[in-house]
């Protein structure tokens, strides 16, 4: 007979709060079996589903996205068209993540240059920082449609 785990055991094994596990059950993302006393009992497959959810949340997917796109153990019953839809969704998420990475790399570069400038404040380092700020600002204006190009006076060094 397959071992079943209590909510307390699952909480300890996976480092998830019991409230989170109850919430997942309530929204139907993972539905453990119930004993006669109504206590939740989690199977090994339920634990695997919960681990997959943690991985997908780590990958910045929301619970709505996870619930809407993934049926975990139901995967053997899905059609090829659905697989293509989910693959396209994951590709879009990956592109979004790469865009965030590129943004954060620029932010990190800017912060590093700003710190270097402050450590060795002189006309040349100030000019370098101003050039980098202009370059990043130009990039922001090109990639972020919500930023107005009007009233954007550029600092002359």
């Amino acid at each position: 007979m397959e071992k079943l785990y209590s909510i307390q055991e699952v909480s300890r094994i996976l480092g998830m709060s019991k409230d989170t596990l109850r919430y997942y059950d309530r929204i139907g993302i993972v539905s453990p079996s119930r004993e006669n006393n109504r206590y939740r009992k989690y199977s090994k497959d339920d634990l695997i589903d919960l681990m997959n959810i943690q991985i997908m949340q780590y990958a910045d997917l929301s619970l709505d996205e996870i619930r809407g796109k993934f049926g975990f153990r139901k995967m053997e019953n899905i059609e090829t068209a659905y697989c293509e839809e989910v693959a396209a969704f994951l590709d879009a998420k990956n592109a979004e993540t790469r865009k965030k990475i590129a943004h954060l790399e620029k932010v990190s570069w800017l912060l590093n240059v700003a710190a270097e400038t402050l450590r060795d404040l002189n006309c040349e380092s100030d000019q370098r920082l101003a050039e980098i700020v202009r370059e990043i600002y130009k990039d922001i204006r090109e990639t972020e449609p919500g930023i107005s190009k009007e009233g954007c006076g550029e600092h002359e060094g």
Side-chain angles (χ1 to χ4, degrees):
M1 180 172 198
E2 180 184 15
K3 175 169 174 40
L4 297 176
Y5 301 86
S6 71
I7 194 169
Q8 178 129 2
E9 291 172 309
V10 173
S11 175
R12 182 181 44 76
I13 291 167
L14 298 180
M16 300 174 85
S17 75
K18 291 186 273 186
D19 286 339
T20 297
L21 294 167
R22 288 184 195 103
Y23 178 69
Y24 288 175
D25 186 13
R26 191 168 54 251
I27 66 172
I29 199 164
V30 172
S31 299
S33 61
R34 300 279 186 140
E35 292 187 330
N36 291 337
N37 59 10
R38 303 294 297 152
Y39 289 159
R40 292 170 178 86
K41 286 297 183 177
Y42 293 84
S43 67
K44 187 187 239 181
D45 286 337
D46 291 329
L47 268 67
I48 291 169
D49 286 352
L50 289 164
M51 286 184 246
N52 283 326
I53 290 167
Q54 287 179 312
I55 290 167
M56 285 185 261
Q57 284 184 309
Y58 181 76
D60 208 25
L61 273 71
S62 71
L63 285 178
D64 284 340
E65 291 170 328
I66 294 167
R67 184 176 49 196
K69 296 289 182 195
F70 301 94
F72 302 118
R73 285 175 270 137
K74 301 165 194 82
M75 292 302 262
E76 67 265 4
N77 301 326
I78 62 173
E79 298 175 17
T80 304
Y82 181 72
C83 288
E84 286 298 321
E85 178 186 330
V86 172
F89 168 78
L90 292 174
D91 287 341
K93 275 304 232 184
N94 191 30
E96 184 181 308
T97 298
R98 291 195 177 285
K99 185 176 177 181
K100 288 177 185 176
I101 290 169
H103 168 78
L104 291 173
E105 285 175 343
K106 287 180 183 176
V107 168
S108 177
W109 178 48
L110 175 62
L111 294 174
N112 188 42
V113 170
E116 286 176 18
T117 300
L118 290 171
R119 285 188 188 98
D120 183 29
L121 195 55
N122 60 49
C123 200
E124 183 180 318
S125 64
D126 185 46
Q127 181 63 32
R128 180 173 175 233
L129 179 59
E131 288 171 14
I132 291 169
V133 168
R134 278 194 296 273
E135 180 181 328
I136 290 174
Y137 189 74
K138 178 182 171 198
D139 186 52
I140 289 170
R141 288 190 341 198
E142 291 171 359
T143 60
E144 301 294 328
I147 303 227
S148 170
K149 292 183 180 181
E150 294 177 13
C152 300
E154 294 191 355
H155 169 69
E156 295 292 327

